[in-house]
Amino acid sequence: MKMITAIVNKEDSRAVCTELIKAGFSVTRLSTTGGFLMAGNMTLIIGTDDEKVDDCIAVIARCCKQRTEVVPSTASYGLGVATAYPLEVTVGGATVFVTNVERFEKL
Ligand code: 2BA
């Protein structure tokens, strides 16, 4: 068995959960915050059989779009002179980790 941990954009999370449930996966959604942008995202936990991992990732890939976010940044020119400029960052579609599950029980 594997555990898939997928960090997805908040705007995609409803669609991706709906599609995962439709495809027969069990999903837990956690509200999370990205450390770099400090913006809300959603982390999905999916436990599934080894042979279904690729199907699960295909659903996630289909539902999650890449987006460009603009974040304020600063450049320093020395002598205390600094200027602010917008920095473009590409976020997503999804960041996916697949890990082995040693033991799975429902008690
Ligand atoms: P954030 O940490 O808010 O990162 C948002 C986006 O900012 C990232 O998109 C990436 O394009 C950029 N970014 C992140 N850290 C950076 C850095 N040190 N320098 C320059 N740019 C940086 P994604 O890579 O698509 O990641 C989206 C979200 O997925 C991240 O939100 C974070 O919550 C999570 N994530 C991504 N990689 C991770 C990892 N290796 N471990 C844990 N969480 C991860």
Side-chain angles (χ1 to χ4, degrees):
M1 185 175 201
K2 303 282 189 215
M3 189 169 89
I4 299 165
T5 307
I7 303 161
V8 305
N9 195 292
K10 268 207 292 201
E11 286 166 38
D12 295 327
S13 68
R14 184 180 285 268
V16 75
C17 281
T18 304
E19 291 303 312
L20 285 169
I21 301 286
K22 252 197 240 172
F25 293 100
S26 291
V27 188
T28 296
R29 275 177 10 150
L30 306 170
S31 284
T32 45
T33 303
F36 186 70
L37 294 180
M38 297 295 180
N41 52 28
M42 205 61 88
T43 298
L44 311 180
I45 299 174
I46 304 133
T48 192
D49 297 330
D50 291 25
E51 60 273 19
K52 292 189 185 151
V53 167
D54 288 342
D55 291 347
C56 180
I57 292 175
V59 173
I60 296 168
R62 202 171 64 230
C63 297
C64 295
K65 298 185 206 90
Q66 247 188 18
R67 292 176 174 81
T68 305
E69 305 278 341
V70 179
V71 289
S73 189
T74 52
S76 172
Y77 303 106
L79 302 169
V81 181
T83 182
Y85 65 95
L87 179 70
E88 265 196 7
V89 173
T90 304
V91 187
T95 300
V96 178
F97 302 89
V98 180
T99 45
N100 284 320
V101 175
E102 221 163 81
R103 181 167 163 169
F104 171 69
E105 298 206 26
K106 288 193 173 181
L107 305 174

